[in-house]
Amino acid sequence: MKKGDFWNLIDETNRLCPTRDQESIMAVITDKLMKLDVNDILDFHMIQQEYFRAAYRNDIHAASEAMGATLSYDGLQAFVYWLISCGKVVFIHAMDNPDTLSDVPKQGEKIEFPRFGFAAYTAYSVKMDRIDPENMSDIYCALNSGDYAGLTQETWEAIHSEIPEHEDIKAPYSLDTIRRLFPNIYQKNADRLKNTGLYQEQVDKLLASECIIRARIGIGLCPKEEYFAGTPENIANFLAKYKIAESMLLTDLNDHLIVYSSGWHIMSCPDKALREKINETLFPLHRGETEVQPVFKLSASEFEEAFGKLSHTVGQSNVLMM
């Protein structure tokens, strides 16, 4: 079996199972595999494992967690098998940019499919039971026997030549990582992510920052108030994010002025050293040399709730002001 035969088998199965019901997929692909030569069944398993190992990456793990997969490496395994079951186009695009998965799952579809990893195992067991009911060996015995030569070098090279080269992210990753790398996935899963440990981790980090910015943003008749950690980089990206705002007043929690601006044009910043640091990030953004990075922020009501919980448990003195 070549890699093209592998993907064609999966694509044919998906065409026969348009609702992506996993029971139907398993029934169809098992039936198709059973009709193949035994060595082709073994090849299918080995090809699947090559793609599985290639996708066992931290960025795929981060994307799967953001999409709602189980928060463990067992969950990652189940997610990768689901990803392979979606077919070559979905898989290769995800290997190049996991954010492309934001449009893949259909409503109600599970994004974990651990059984798909055992499709060849099931087909081999049923086929061998029909051929030789007395033979108790399974697919793993067959793979390690001298009768099976393994994938050809040509097939192995063809598999890895089509997988995009991609630098993985480092673990552990944060919600900021997901927001930056997977904006579409984040946007579609924002409400659910607020109930995860990744979100609470970011809230705790904000509340523990040396300076918490209270931003009052004037945009037409819809002014708003938001809170974020006041690093120079965050301030620059925040100003760039709201570059069309008529006015922005950034203060600390004691109402000391940090920045007053019209969009990303700073009108006042009492701390000259801070202004210089802000401009180191802001000017390249203004010139289009770099892209605006997401800033983790809370609305007024979200901050009030989070700050209230902190005050109740450890006291307001643990929150550092500028």
Side-chain angles (χ1 to χ4, degrees), residues 178-198:
I178 291 174
R179 287 164 59 92
R180 175 172 54 85
L181 294 180
F182 317 128
N184 294 312
I185 289 177
Y186 179 86
Q187 184 176 4
K188 288 198 170 184
N189 294 274
D191 290 340
R192 189 190 57 75
L193 283 168
K194 287 184 178 181
N195 296 316
T196 66
L198 287 173

PDB file of all heavy atoms in Angstrom, residues 178-198:
ATOM      1  N   ILE A 178      -2.396  30.432  22.531  1.00  0.00           N
ATOM      2  CA  ILE A 178      -3.538  30.037  21.708  1.00  0.00           C
ATOM      3  C   ILE A 178      -4.136  31.252  21.001  1.00  0.00           C
ATOM      4  O   ILE A 178      -4.454  31.192  19.805  1.00  0.00           O
ATOM      5  CB  ILE A 178      -4.588  29.325  22.576  1.00  0.00           C
ATOM      6  CG1 ILE A 178      -4.050  27.964  23.030  1.00  0.00           C
ATOM      7  CG2 ILE A 178      -5.906  29.153  21.819  1.00  0.00           C
ATOM      8  CD1 ILE A 178      -4.934  27.242  24.009  1.00  0.00           C
ATOM      9  N   ARG A 179      -4.284  32.355  21.719  1.00  0.00           N
ATOM     10  CA  ARG A 179      -4.842  33.579  21.115  1.00  0.00           C
ATOM     11  C   ARG A 179      -3.971  34.069  19.970  1.00  0.00           C
ATOM     12  O   ARG A 179      -4.474  34.540  18.941  1.00  0.00           O
ATOM     13  CB  ARG A 179      -4.958  34.678  22.176  1.00  0.00           C
ATOM     14  CG  ARG A 179      -6.069  34.486  23.176  1.00  0.00           C
ATOM     15  CD  ARG A 179      -5.867  35.386  24.381  1.00  0.00           C
ATOM     16  NE  ARG A 179      -5.836  36.775  24.010  1.00  0.00           N
ATOM     17  CZ  ARG A 179      -6.904  37.577  23.987  1.00  0.00           C
ATOM     18  NH1 ARG A 179      -8.078  37.099  24.319  1.00  0.00           N
ATOM     19  NH2 ARG A 179      -6.798  38.836  23.664  1.00  0.00           N
ATOM     20  N   ARG A 180      -2.651  33.965  20.133  1.00  0.00           N
ATOM     21  CA  ARG A 180      -1.724  34.474  19.127  1.00  0.00           C
ATOM     22  C   ARG A 180      -1.636  33.549  17.918  1.00  0.00           C
ATOM     23  O   ARG A 180      -1.646  34.006  16.775  1.00  0.00           O
ATOM     24  CB  ARG A 180      -0.347  34.662  19.759  1.00  0.00           C
ATOM     25  CG  ARG A 180       0.746  35.084  18.789  1.00  0.00           C
ATOM     26  CD  ARG A 180       2.022  35.441  19.526  1.00  0.00           C
ATOM     27  NE  ARG A 180       2.446  34.365  20.413  1.00  0.00           N
ATOM     28  CZ  ARG A 180       3.181  33.330  20.043  1.00  0.00           C
ATOM     29  NH1 ARG A 180       3.560  33.210  18.773  1.00  0.00           N
ATOM     30  NH2 ARG A 180       3.545  32.415  20.913  1.00  0.00           N
ATOM     31  N   LEU A 181      -1.527  32.241  18.163  1.00  0.00           N
ATOM     32  CA  LEU A 181      -1.304  31.295  17.068  1.00  0.00           C
ATOM     33  C   LEU A 181      -2.591  30.856  16.384  1.00  0.00           C
ATOM     34  O   LEU A 181      -2.590  30.569  15.191  1.00  0.00           O
ATOM     35  CB  LEU A 181      -0.566  30.058  17.595  1.00  0.00           C
ATOM     36  CG  LEU A 181       0.855  30.270  18.101  1.00  0.00           C
ATOM     37  CD1 LEU A 181       1.433  28.943  18.582  1.00  0.00           C
ATOM     38  CD2 LEU A 181       1.736  30.855  17.011  1.00  0.00           C
ATOM     39  N   PHE A 182      -3.676  30.790  17.151  1.00  0.00           N
ATOM     40  CA  PHE A 182      -4.927  30.249  16.610  1.00  0.00           C
ATOM     41  C   PHE A 182      -6.082  31.232  16.843  1.00  0.00           C
ATOM     42  O   PHE A 182      -7.031  30.933  17.579  1.00  0.00           O
ATOM     43  CB  PHE A 182      -5.255  28.906  17.266  1.00  0.00           C
ATOM     44  CG  PHE A 182      -4.076  27.987  17.426  1.00  0.00           C
ATOM     45  CD1 PHE A 182      -3.779  27.415  18.652  1.00  0.00           C
ATOM     46  CD2 PHE A 182      -3.248  27.702  16.361  1.00  0.00           C
ATOM     47  CE1 PHE A 182      -2.698  26.571  18.812  1.00  0.00           C
ATOM     48  CE2 PHE A 182      -2.157  26.864  16.501  1.00  0.00           C
ATOM     49  CZ  PHE A 182      -1.880  26.299  17.734  1.00  0.00           C
ATOM     50  N   PRO A 183      -6.035  32.414  16.235  1.00  0.00           N
ATOM     51  CA  PRO A 183      -7.084  33.417  16.494  1.00  0.00           C
ATOM     52  C   PRO A 183      -8.484  32.955  16.124  1.00  0.00           C
ATOM     53  O   PRO A 183      -9.461  33.291  16.813  1.00  0.00           O
ATOM     54  CB  PRO A 183      -6.644  34.614  15.644  1.00  0.00           C
ATOM     55  CG  PRO A 183      -5.726  34.034  14.602  1.00  0.00           C
ATOM     56  CD  PRO A 183      -5.029  32.900  15.270  1.00  0.00           C
ATOM     57  N   ASN A 184      -8.616  32.180  15.051  1.00  0.00           N
ATOM     58  CA  ASN A 184      -9.946  31.719  14.639  1.00  0.00           C
ATOM     59  C   ASN A 184     -10.486  30.655  15.585  1.00  0.00           C
ATOM     60  O   ASN A 184     -11.669  30.663  15.945  1.00  0.00           O
ATOM     61  CB  ASN A 184      -9.895  31.188  13.206  1.00  0.00           C
ATOM     62  CG  ASN A 184      -9.582  32.281  12.206  1.00  0.00           C
ATOM     63  OD1 ASN A 184     -10.176  33.348  12.225  1.00  0.00           O
ATOM     64  ND2 ASN A 184      -8.619  32.037  11.329  1.00  0.00           N
ATOM     65  N   ILE A 185      -9.615  29.730  15.985  1.00  0.00           N
ATOM     66  CA  ILE A 185     -10.022  28.722  16.970  1.00  0.00           C
ATOM     67  C   ILE A 185     -10.397  29.403  18.277  1.00  0.00           C
ATOM     68  O   ILE A 185     -11.407  29.070  18.906  1.00  0.00           O
ATOM     69  CB  ILE A 185      -8.903  27.689  17.189  1.00  0.00           C
ATOM     70  CG1 ILE A 185      -8.753  26.791  15.962  1.00  0.00           C
ATOM     71  CG2 ILE A 185      -9.185  26.828  18.423  1.00  0.00           C
ATOM     72  CD1 ILE A 185      -7.614  25.788  16.073  1.00  0.00           C
ATOM     73  N   TYR A 186      -9.581  30.377  18.689  1.00  0.00           N
ATOM     74  CA  TYR A 186      -9.854  31.077  19.950  1.00  0.00           C
ATOM     75  C   TYR A 186     -11.204  31.787  19.891  1.00  0.00           C
ATOM     76  O   TYR A 186     -12.010  31.697  20.819  1.00  0.00           O
ATOM     77  CB  TYR A 186      -8.752  32.085  20.262  1.00  0.00           C
ATOM     78  CG  TYR A 186      -9.014  32.848  21.536  1.00  0.00           C
ATOM     79  CD1 TYR A 186      -8.625  32.335  22.772  1.00  0.00           C
ATOM     80  CD2 TYR A 186      -9.679  34.066  21.514  1.00  0.00           C
ATOM     81  CE1 TYR A 186      -8.894  33.009  23.948  1.00  0.00           C
ATOM     82  CE2 TYR A 186      -9.955  34.750  22.680  1.00  0.00           C
ATOM     83  CZ  TYR A 186      -9.556  34.222  23.892  1.00  0.00           C
ATOM     84  OH  TYR A 186      -9.837  34.896  25.047  1.00  0.00           O
ATOM     85  N   GLN A 187     -11.453  32.500  18.802  1.00  0.00           N
ATOM     86  CA  GLN A 187     -12.686  33.261  18.688  1.00  0.00           C
ATOM     87  C   GLN A 187     -13.916  32.355  18.760  1.00  0.00           C
ATOM     88  O   GLN A 187     -14.901  32.696  19.411  1.00  0.00           O
ATOM     89  CB  GLN A 187     -12.688  34.044  17.372  1.00  0.00           C
ATOM     90  CG  GLN A 187     -13.901  34.955  17.200  1.00  0.00           C
ATOM     91  CD  GLN A 187     -13.813  35.784  15.933  1.00  0.00           C
ATOM     92  OE1 GLN A 187     -12.892  35.640  15.143  1.00  0.00           O
ATOM     93  NE2 GLN A 187     -14.770  36.662  15.743  1.00  0.00           N
ATOM     94  N   LYS A 188     -13.837  31.206  18.107  1.00  0.00           N
ATOM     95  CA  LYS A 188     -14.986  30.302  18.086  1.00  0.00           C
ATOM     96  C   LYS A 188     -15.193  29.581  19.416  1.00  0.00           C
ATOM     97  O   LYS A 188     -16.267  29.046  19.675  1.00  0.00           O
ATOM     98  CB  LYS A 188     -14.830  29.276  16.969  1.00  0.00           C
ATOM     99  CG  LYS A 188     -15.032  29.872  15.579  1.00  0.00           C
ATOM    100  CD  LYS A 188     -15.297  28.796  14.554  1.00  0.00           C
ATOM    101  CE  LYS A 188     -15.739  29.413  13.236  1.00  0.00           C
ATOM    102  NZ  LYS A 188     -16.105  28.398  12.242  1.00  0.00           N
ATOM    103  N   ASN A 189     -14.138  29.536  20.245  1.00  0.00           N
ATOM    104  CA  ASN A 189     -14.219  28.785  21.495  1.00  0.00           C
ATOM    105  C   ASN A 189     -14.015  29.672  22.722  1.00  0.00           C
ATOM    106  O   ASN A 189     -13.769  29.158  23.821  1.00  0.00           O
ATOM    107  CB  ASN A 189     -13.165  27.670  21.500  1.00  0.00           C
ATOM    108  CG  ASN A 189     -13.427  26.609  20.461  1.00  0.00           C
ATOM    109  OD1 ASN A 189     -14.162  25.649  20.684  1.00  0.00           O
ATOM    110  ND2 ASN A 189     -12.826  26.771  19.291  1.00  0.00           N
ATOM    111  N   ALA A 190     -14.120  30.998  22.538  1.00  0.00           N
ATOM    112  CA  ALA A 190     -13.817  31.938  23.621  1.00  0.00           C
ATOM    113  C   ALA A 190     -14.662  31.701  24.860  1.00  0.00           C
ATOM    114  O   ALA A 190     -14.151  31.704  25.988  1.00  0.00           O
ATOM    115  CB  ALA A 190     -13.993  33.374  23.127  1.00  0.00           C
ATOM    116  N   ASP A 191     -15.960  31.489  24.691  1.00  0.00           N
ATOM    117  CA  ASP A 191     -16.841  31.293  25.854  1.00  0.00           C
ATOM    118  C   ASP A 191     -16.480  30.027  26.615  1.00  0.00           C
ATOM    119  O   ASP A 191     -16.452  30.025  27.855  1.00  0.00           O
ATOM    120  CB  ASP A 191     -18.308  31.243  25.409  1.00  0.00           C
ATOM    121  CG  ASP A 191     -18.815  32.595  24.932  1.00  0.00           C
ATOM    122  OD1 ASP A 191     -18.189  33.615  25.287  1.00  0.00           O
ATOM    123  OD2 ASP A 191     -19.808  32.631  24.196  1.00  0.00           O
ATOM    124  N   ARG A 192     -16.195  28.961  25.890  1.00  0.00           N
ATOM    125  CA  ARG A 192     -15.840  27.711  26.561  1.00  0.00           C
ATOM    126  C   ARG A 192     -14.488  27.810  27.249  1.00  0.00           C
ATOM    127  O   ARG A 192     -14.283  27.270  28.338  1.00  0.00           O
ATOM    128  CB  ARG A 192     -15.827  26.561  25.544  1.00  0.00           C
ATOM    129  CG  ARG A 192     -15.687  25.182  26.172  1.00  0.00           C
ATOM    130  CD  ARG A 192     -15.439  24.129  25.101  1.00  0.00           C
ATOM    131  NE  ARG A 192     -14.260  24.443  24.323  1.00  0.00           N
ATOM    132  CZ  ARG A 192     -13.021  24.285  24.778  1.00  0.00           C
ATOM    133  NH1 ARG A 192     -12.811  23.810  25.994  1.00  0.00           N
ATOM    134  NH2 ARG A 192     -12.003  24.609  24.035  1.00  0.00           N
ATOM    135  N   LEU A 193     -13.551  28.529  26.621  1.00  0.00           N
ATOM    136  CA  LEU A 193     -12.211  28.663  27.189  1.00  0.00           C
ATOM    137  C   LEU A 193     -12.221  29.409  28.515  1.00  0.00           C
ATOM    138  O   LEU A 193     -11.311  29.249  29.333  1.00  0.00           O
ATOM    139  CB  LEU A 193     -11.284  29.374  26.193  1.00  0.00           C
ATOM    140  CG  LEU A 193     -10.782  28.520  25.032  1.00  0.00           C
ATOM    141  CD1 LEU A 193     -10.137  29.389  23.964  1.00  0.00           C
ATOM    142  CD2 LEU A 193      -9.797  27.478  25.524  1.00  0.00           C
ATOM    143  N   LYS A 194     -13.243  30.218  28.745  1.00  0.00           N
ATOM    144  CA  LYS A 194     -13.324  30.953  30.007  1.00  0.00           C
ATOM    145  C   LYS A 194     -13.556  30.030  31.201  1.00  0.00           C
ATOM    146  O   LYS A 194     -13.395  30.451  32.351  1.00  0.00           O
ATOM    147  CB  LYS A 194     -14.433  32.005  29.931  1.00  0.00           C
ATOM    148  CG  LYS A 194     -14.080  33.190  29.050  1.00  0.00           C
ATOM    149  CD  LYS A 194     -15.159  34.250  29.074  1.00  0.00           C
ATOM    150  CE  LYS A 194     -14.747  35.451  28.223  1.00  0.00           C
ATOM    151  NZ  LYS A 194     -15.774  36.521  28.231  1.00  0.00           N
ATOM    152  N   ASN A 195     -13.921  28.801  30.931  1.00  0.00           N
ATOM    153  CA  ASN A 195     -14.144  27.838  32.010  1.00  0.00           C
ATOM    154  C   ASN A 195     -12.990  26.852  32.154  1.00  0.00           C
ATOM    155  O   ASN A 195     -13.118  25.830  32.817  1.00  0.00           O
ATOM    156  CB  ASN A 195     -15.448  27.069  31.753  1.00  0.00           C
ATOM    157  CG  ASN A 195     -16.673  27.970  31.781  1.00  0.00           C
ATOM    158  OD1 ASN A 195     -16.801  28.819  32.644  1.00  0.00           O
ATOM    159  ND2 ASN A 195     -17.561  27.796  30.816  1.00  0.00           N
ATOM    160  N   THR A 196     -11.860  27.168  31.523  1.00  0.00           N
ATOM    161  CA  THR A 196     -10.719  26.255  31.564  1.00  0.00           C
ATOM    162  C   THR A 196      -9.634  26.795  32.487  1.00  0.00           C
ATOM    163  O   THR A 196      -9.612  27.972  32.852  1.00  0.00           O
ATOM    164  CB  THR A 196     -10.117  26.058  30.159  1.00  0.00           C
ATOM    165  OG1 THR A 196      -9.548  27.307  29.718  1.00  0.00           O
ATOM    166  CG2 THR A 196     -11.184  25.607  29.168  1.00  0.00           C
ATOM    167  N   GLY A 197      -8.710  25.902  32.835  1.00  0.00           N
ATOM    168  CA  GLY A 197      -7.575  26.294  33.657  1.00  0.00           C
ATOM    169  C   GLY A 197      -6.668  27.291  32.955  1.00  0.00           C
ATOM    170  O   GLY A 197      -6.038  28.133  33.605  1.00  0.00           O
ATOM    171  N   LEU A 198      -6.598  27.229  31.606  1.00  0.00           N
ATOM    172  CA  LEU A 198      -5.775  28.168  30.859  1.00  0.00           C
ATOM    173  C   LEU A 198      -6.259  29.600  31.064  1.00  0.00           C
ATOM    174  O   LEU A 198      -5.453  30.527  31.222  1.00  0.00           O
ATOM    175  CB  LEU A 198      -5.812  27.831  29.360  1.00  0.00           C
ATOM    176  CG  LEU A 198      -5.047  26.586  28.908  1.00  0.00           C
ATOM    177  CD1 LEU A 198      -5.323  26.317  27.439  1.00  0.00           C
ATOM    178  CD2 LEU A 198      -3.553  26.750  29.146  1.00  0.00           C
TER     179      LEU A 198
END
